[in-house]
Amino acid sequence: MSKNLTRRHFVSTVSAGTAGMSLSARSGFGSTVRSESVDQELALLGGKPVRTKSFPSWPVIAENDRKSWKQVLESKNWFRSNGHYVTEFEESWARRLGARFVVATSSGTSALYTSLFALDIGPGDEVIVPPYTFVATINVVLLHHALPVLVDSDRETSQIDANKIEAAITDRTRCILPVHLGGNVAEMDKILEISQKYKLSILEDACQAHLAEWRGKKAGTVGDLGCFSFQASKNLNSGEGGAIASNNAELMKVCSSFHNAGRGYSLAADGKLVRKRNTTFSYERNGDNRRMTEFQGSLLLEQLTRLEEQARTRERNAQYLTRRLNEIPGIIPARQYEGCTRNAYHLYMLRYDRSHFANLPRSRFLEALRAEGIPGSGGYRPLNKEPFLKHTLESRAFRSIYSAKQLAELEERNHCPENDKLCSEAVWFGQSKLLGPQSDMDDIAAAIRKIQKHAAVLVKAG
Ligand SMILES: *Cc1c(COP(=O)(O)O)cnc(C)c1O
């Protein structure tokens, strides 16, 4: 087996350039807004901040959330098999996505882990993943004792560079796991084409992409399976929670079964997946408990009533902000591929080019921004340089599955120079900053202009 596993077969890359990228126009807005505040001294140096109001808080709650939550509490049916909220949420989310099936899970990580189980990913397999993602995307591959093969980022979009996927495929590659990072969408046409050519499955990590779309299809329904997270920061939130969406009944039978201790599921006459009830207990396969509670299900049903409107607000504000920021030299908002027909804007992502800011380091730029009343983040660090990956690959399990040569080669293959650069220049604003009035976007743009104008002073001040 090990001989077989070390045989490598690389496929040459097809370079298709970066055609098909949509470019935002750099016109239509003057620099008239708040020019005075831009001229004032930086807040970091004791001046008056551009903004003192806070941004919208997250999550949004109202009477319907309280009522529904209390109903679950008082019903005493907190477990999904005794209640109906989780099942209703699954049906509701499936309708919203245009998917045949949805299985709710305890988290987005659980959804991904369960999906890889259903796709039969295990020791000896390679899964193609982006380096620019939340660590869970890579953790789930390692938890199945498969190898995560990183394909470098496209800095323009912050997504996996689909033009580089083919070069990473070997005879051990089984699955492509694209992430729709920040609610933007990975280049799915190319990913679908490659998956068909090499007979690979596609698992979409749509944990940040609720209601995002690729050519009118919802993110998470383009590949074989798609995963969502409802963790507290996400655009649809129940504290913790997740879901798997798919049109594939066979895969979803396995997902349902695995997430519920291996109990058997079958397809009912009405097209729904149901627990097999012919015997009291029948365990068909190795399974786990990745179930969602009724509390989460009830909350998600209520939160879901606001999702579309919130998505529209984020989209409107983000598009306006992009127009404002495109006027500022050295601020480069993330682009979308032409096939991305809707961006969920879980994150507003841009790149900061310090050469247009008197060489002010990004960390100092973020501090100055925060002082002006605009908290932002520098985003992810390069995951291929984090200790978890090295430690896992050095573990007894991995050393018994893979040869030393194979593991050493993986480290080489996982270099991602473009991603390293992206990690050093990214600036993010979280989704809830996009939920207020348009004037909030003007504040963000004004604060950045102000810092640019006084960048040299700040550099001098140290
Ligand atoms: C949040 C997130 C996950 C994991 O979701 P949890 O619900 O926190 O387990 C996975 N992938 C991405 C890209 C995420 O943003």
Side-chain angles (χ1 to χ4, degrees):
M1 183 181 176
S2 75
K3 203 168 193 182
N4 213 3
L5 292 178
T6 49
R7 205 176 69 232
R8 301 163 61 87
H9 169 232
F10 286 93
V11 177
S12 64
T13 329
V14 178
S15 173
T18 50
M21 202 90 77
S22 65
L23 289 153
S24 305
R26 260 182 197 265
S27 62
F29 292 87
S31 52
T32 48
V33 176
R34 278 156 232 236
S35 58
E36 299 148 43
S37 69
V38 169
D39 289 334
Q40 287 189 2
E41 195 180 2
L42 289 174
L44 200 56
L45 301 175
K48 190 169 156 281
V50 166
R51 185 183 167 93
T52 48
K53 274 190 308 222
S54 54
F55 282 93
S57 72
W58 182 256
V60 176
I61 54 167
E63 206 39 54
N64 58 326
D65 306 86
R66 289 187 193 96
K67 198 173 148 211
S68 182
W69 178 265
K70 212 160 156 244
Q71 271 169 6
V72 176
L73 183 77
E74 284 166 2
S75 74
K76 302 186 182 180
N77 295 326
W78 304 344
F79 170 47
R80 69 165 294 172
S81 294
N82 298 334
H84 55 90
Y85 290 97
V86 175
T87 305
E88 264 174 49
F89 170 69
E90 287 172 338
E91 289 170 5
S92 213
W93 190 230
R95 267 198 307 277
R96 202 62 80 89
L97 296 174
R100 257 179 94 194
F101 309 104
V102 162
V103 175
T105 60
S106 52
S107 70
T109 308
S110 284
L112 289 165
Y113 185 82
T114 301
S115 298
L116 287 177
F117 179 90
L119 293 169
D120 198 19
I121 302 299
D125 295 338
E126 291 181 358
V127 178
I128 292 191
V129 291
Y132 202 61
T133 183
F134 180 58
V135 66
T137 315
I138 294 173
N139 273 334
V140 291
V141 175
L142 295 168
L143 285 169
H144 282 287
H145 295 103
L147 295 182
V149 175
L150 307 185
V151 167
D152 210 351
S153 299
D154 176 356
R155 281 163 60 221
E156 301 269 321
T157 58
S158 300
Q159 310 300 309
I160 191 168
D161 188 341
N163 290 317
K164 293 180 178 159
I165 291 177
E166 246 183 308
I169 293 172
T170 71
D171 57 359
R172 295 182 303 274
T173 310
R174 297 272 325 281
C175 176
I176 308 175
L177 206 176
V179 178
H180 305 306
L181 198 83
N184 199 345
V185 185
E187 202 170 13
M188 292 310 291
D189 289 357
K190 275 188 194 144
I191 293 171
L192 283 164
E193 197 185 306
I194 295 165
S195 79
Q196 279 151 16
K197 184 167 167 190
Y198 296 94
K199 309 234 177 319
L200 309 174
S201 51
I202 299 178
L203 169 57
E204 294 174 78
D205 181 339
C207 286
Q208 300 186 1
H210 314 76
L211 304 188
E213 290 178 10
W214 182 261
R215 302 201 188 282
K217 253 188 176 177
K218 292 283 186 292
T221 68
V222 183
D224 296 290
L225 294 163
C227 292
F228 295 88
S229 166
F230 310 121
Q231 180 270 339
S233 70
K234 305 296 158 79
N235 296 19
L236 183 62
N237 163 19
S238 55
E240 299 281 5
I244 309 164
S246 179
N247 295 320
N248 184 319
E250 288 313 307
L251 287 175
M252 289 303 263
K253 267 185 213 168
V254 182
C255 287
S256 306
S257 173
F258 177 82
H259 109 295
N260 193 10
R263 294 180 174 94
Y265 280 74
S266 59
L267 197 59
D270 63 359
K272 289 178 185 168
L273 284 175
V274 289
R275 273 258 317 276
K276 286 185 187 167
R277 297 280 184 180
N278 48 339
T279 49
T280 325
F281 286 112
S282 169
Y283 302 108
E284 293 193 345
R285 57 178 57 74
N286 183 204
D288 198 347
N289 173 6
R290 306 267 171 166
R291 292 183 302 256
M292 179 179 273
T293 67
E294 285 288 281
F295 288 106
Q296 292 160 295
S298 76
L299 205 45
L300 285 167
L301 277 168
E302 300 309 320
Q303 292 282 314
L304 198 49
T305 61
R306 302 183 187 98
L307 183 64
E308 177 59 31
E309 197 195 320
Q310 289 169 338
R312 282 188 197 160
T313 306
R314 287 186 194 100
E315 224 177 348
R316 195 170 54 237
N317 275 328
Q319 285 170 358
Y320 175 78
L321 182 60
T322 298
R323 293 197 294 271
R324 308 258 16 159
L325 297 184
N326 274 334
E327 298 167 352
I328 307 177
I331 295 294
I332 312 149
R335 289 186 185 152
Q336 292 172 198
Y337 296 107
E338 177 259 332
C340 173
T341 45
R342 193 175 200 192
N343 186 328
Y345 288 106
H346 174 64
L347 301 167
Y348 188 92
M349 304 183 287
L350 59 89
R351 286 181 294 142
Y352 166 73
D353 178 355
R354 60 192 276 184
S355 72
H356 289 272
F357 288 76
N359 243 348
L360 181 74
R362 180 185 59 172
S363 57
R364 202 68 179 136
F365 170 76
L366 286 168
E367 273 174 46
L369 205 52
R370 183 172 294 273
E372 298 298 340
I374 318 283
S377 129
Y380 297 129
R381 300 201 304 184
L383 283 175
N384 48 347
K385 296 177 180 170
E386 290 285 318
F388 80 98
L389 190 54
K390 198 168 164 20
H391 288 162
T392 309
L393 298 176
E394 281 170 356
S395 69
R396 204 170 59 83
F398 274 77
R399 280 186 292 116
S400 70
I401 299 163
Y402 303 98
S403 70
K405 184 164 166 276
Q406 222 175 334
L407 294 172
E409 277 168 353
L410 184 71
E411 207 179 318
E412 282 301 307
R413 294 167 74 194
N414 279 348
H415 284 164
C416 296
E418 287 295 303
N419 187 60
D420 293 347
K421 223 167 168 184
L422 177 60
C423 289
S424 73
E425 62 190 3
V427 170
W428 293 353
F429 301 116
Q431 52 88 10
S432 59
K433 292 211 172 52
L434 304 172
L435 289 175
Q438 195 179 77
S439 56
D440 286 1
M441 306 302 108
D442 290 321
D443 286 344
I444 296 174
I448 295 175
R449 278 183 191 284
K450 185 178 174 188
I451 297 165
Q452 186 163 58
K453 187 155 189 181
H454 302 273
V457 180
L458 195 53
V459 168
K460 230 177 180 174

